Amino acid sequence: MRIVATSLLVAMAALYALSRSLEARAPAWGFVRAFAEAAMVGGLADWFAVTALFRHPLGLPVPHTAIIPRNKDRIGDNLALFLRANFLLPAVVARRMGRLDVAGAIGRVLASPPREGALRAGAGKLAVTVLETLDDERLGQMFKAAAAERLARVDVAPLAGQLLAAAMTEGRHRPVINAAILWAGRTLEANEELFRQMISERAGSILRWTGLDNTLSNKILDGLFKLLGDVAEQDDHPLRARAEEAMAALAERLQHDPELQAKVAAWRDAAIANPAVARWLDGLWRQARIAMLRVARDPDAGKGRLGALLAQLGQALQAEPRLALTVNRFARRTVAGLVSSYGDGIVTLVSDTIRGWDAQTVTGRLEAAVGRDLQYIRVNGTLVGGLVGLGLHLVDVLA
C-alpha cells in the first residue's frame, strides 16, 4: 500500500508536468494541471502527516514529528489505564460475565465430552497442569474451608423437621420405631441380671428377707418383655401411637421452635469443629483430587461410574436453572475477584512491557497493525486534493 500511495503521488507529478507543457496549446489542460497540482499537495501533506506519526520525515527533526516513538511511555501508561478503566474493573467484568452461560458450556462438555482432537487434549493437559502446579495443601485447605462454610450455612433443624415429617407421611418412620423396640428388647435381655439387682436393691430389706424380691423382679421383667412384644406386633398399640405423636411433635418443633433450632445449630457447629470432620473432609478432598487427575490424564478412565456421574452433572447444569444460576454466579464472582486482586498487576505488566520496548519496536508493531489504513489516507488525500484543486480552478475560470 505504501508503494501504491507513493506511485500515485509520482503519477500526479508526471501528470502535472505533462499538463503544464500542454496547457499553452489547449486551455482544457489547465483543468488537468489544477487537478494534478492539488493532488500532489494533498498527497504530500498526508504523507507528511502519516510519516510524522512514526518517524521524522526525511530524517529532519521537524517539531512535533515522530510522535509515537517520543510518547511511547505515555502511550503505554494510557493504554494500561484504558484497560483498567474499561476492562479490568470488577463491576465491568461482572456485567460482561453476566451475559455468559458458563454453566451451560461446562454442562455441554461434561454431557458430551469430545472424543478426540485438540480441545480434549488441551483441556486434559490444562487440568493436569493446574492440579499438579497449585499447592495441594493450600487447595485442600480451600476445599475444606469452602465445604465447612457450606455446611455451616445449612439450616439443619428445619431441614431435619421437613425430612421427618415427609418420612412419617410416607410411613417410612415405622422401621425406625421397630428398630428402637428391637434395640430396647435386646438391651433388656443382655442386662437382665443388672436390672434384677437394681430391683432387688430398691425392693427393701423385708422383701429381700422373704425372697419376694426375685418374684417382683420376674414380674417386672416379664411385664416389660411382654409390653415390648405387644408393641412390636401391634401396629395400633397405644405406645406406638405415643411414639408417633412424639416424632410428629419433634418434626413440628424442628421447623418452628427457635430455641430448639438454636440448639441444633450449636450441635452442628460443634460437629463441624470436631477434628473427625476435618479428617473426613481431608479424605474427601484426596479422593476427589485423585479422581480428577485420573480423568484428566486419561479421559477414557471416566467412562465408567465417574463418567456417568459427570454426564449426569452436565445434564443437570443444562436442565436445572437454579443449579446453572449458582454456577454462573460463582464463576462471575470468581473472575471478578481475580480482577479485583490482580487487575493492578495486569495494568502494571502492560505499562512496563511497553516501556521496555525500544521505540523502533513500538513503531514497527503499530505501523504493521494499522499501516494499510494509513496508506489509504495518503491515497484519499491525493484524490480528494485533486478534486478540490479541480473545483477551485473551475471557480477561477468561471469568475
Side-chain angles (χ1 to χ4, degrees):
M1 280 307 302
R2 184 183 292 117
I3 292 174
V4 170
T6 303
S7 299
L8 183 60
L9 181 60
V10 172
M12 291 300 105
L15 184 61
Y16 172 75
L18 176 64
S19 60
R20 178 81 175 177
S21 63
L22 297 175
E23 184 177 5
R25 300 179 184 178
W29 281 100
F31 289 93
V32 178
R33 178 190 59 76
F35 176 86
E37 183 178 13
M40 285 192 298
V41 173
L44 286 171
D46 284 342
W47 165 83
F48 184 89
V50 169
T51 304
L53 286 172
F54 301 100
R55 60 187 64 85
H56 296 296
L58 301 178
L60 300 175
V62 180
H64 303 293
T65 58
I67 295 172
I68 290 176
R70 287 192 302 105
N71 295 277
K72 170 178 67 71
D73 294 344
R74 184 164 60 87
I75 293 172
D77 294 340
N78 289 335
L79 177 60
L81 291 175
F82 176 79
L83 288 174
R84 187 74 172 102
N86 294 277
F87 296 96
L88 297 179
L89 289 177
V92 174
V93 172
R95 185 169 60 252
R96 292 178 181 269
M97 287 288 294
R99 305 171 190 166
L100 301 179
D101 185 12
V102 178
I106 295 174
R108 288 189 292 273
V109 172
L110 291 178
S112 300
R115 297 178 180 228
E116 57 186 11
L119 177 61
R120 172 172 171 168
K125 291 180 181 179
L126 177 60
V128 171
T129 301
V130 170
L131 288 172
E132 290 184 341
T133 302
L134 296 178
D135 186 1
D136 181 43
E137 182 178 355
R138 185 178 179 184
L139 279 178
Q141 292 294 335
M142 292 172 60
F143 172 81
K144 288 192 296 182
E149 182 182 0
R150 179 67 64 179
L151 290 173
R153 291 181 181 178
V154 176
D155 205 352
V156 178
L159 179 61
Q162 294 171 8
L163 291 175
L164 180 56
M168 294 187 67
T169 302
E170 299 173 3
R172 289 184 282 113
H173 66 294
R174 294 191 182 93
V176 177
I177 296 178
N178 293 336
I181 295 171
L182 182 60
W183 174 83
R186 288 178 177 176
T187 302
L188 185 62
E189 184 178 4
N191 297 277
E192 184 175 347
E193 291 301 322
L194 177 60
F195 283 110
R196 288 182 180 277
Q197 182 180 354
M198 291 172 59
I199 295 171
S200 177
E201 290 175 354
R202 286 165 176 76
S205 58
I206 296 177
L207 292 178
R208 286 196 300 272
W209 180 69
T210 57
L212 293 176
D213 57 331
N214 289 330
T215 303
L216 179 62
S217 298
N218 291 335
K219 294 292 185 181
I220 293 175
L221 290 174
D222 289 344
L224 289 175
F225 281 121
K226 184 177 184 306
L227 176 63
L228 291 175
D230 292 342
V231 174
E233 294 175 0
Q234 301 173 17
D235 291 339
D236 57 349
H237 195 280
L239 283 183
R240 185 183 286 270
R242 291 286 183 87
E244 292 183 353
E245 290 176 4
M247 293 177 69
L250 177 60
E252 181 70 17
R253 290 187 60 202
L254 285 170
Q255 297 180 70
H256 304 291
D257 187 351
E259 184 177 353
L260 180 58
Q261 290 175 353
K263 290 181 180 179
V264 174
W267 296 337
R268 175 203 61 202
D269 296 339
I272 293 174
N274 193 299
V277 175
R279 289 193 294 270
W280 172 71
L281 291 175
D282 276 333
L284 193 63
W285 161 247
R286 284 193 294 269
Q287 294 176 7
R289 184 176 183 275
I290 291 172
M292 288 188 291
L293 279 172
R294 185 172 69 250
V295 174
R297 290 194 180 100
D298 182 14
D300 293 333
K303 290 183 178 179
R305 183 179 178 185
L306 180 60
L309 290 175
L310 292 176
Q312 291 178 7
L313 176 59
Q315 294 170 1
L317 285 171
Q318 298 178 77
E320 296 291 338
R322 293 181 62 184
L323 179 60
L325 178 63
T326 301
V327 173
N328 287 333
R329 185 185 296 120
F330 173 78
R332 184 167 62 251
R333 290 177 178 175
T334 300
V335 176
L338 290 173
V339 169
S340 178
S341 301
Y342 301 107
D344 291 335
I346 296 173
V347 168
T348 303
L349 175 64
V350 172
S351 178
D352 291 347
T353 300
I354 295 178
R355 283 176 175 272
W357 288 345
D358 58 88
Q360 186 176 0
T361 299
V362 176
T363 302
R365 293 189 178 184
L366 289 176
E367 192 171 13
V370 297
R372 190 174 182 85
D373 291 328
L374 291 174
Q375 299 308 316
Y376 272 117
I377 292 177
R378 293 178 57 192
V379 171
N380 293 335
T382 302
L383 297 177
V384 171
L387 293 174
V388 171
L390 183 61
L392 291 176
H393 183 71
L394 177 61
V395 170
D396 183 61
V397 170
L398 293 176

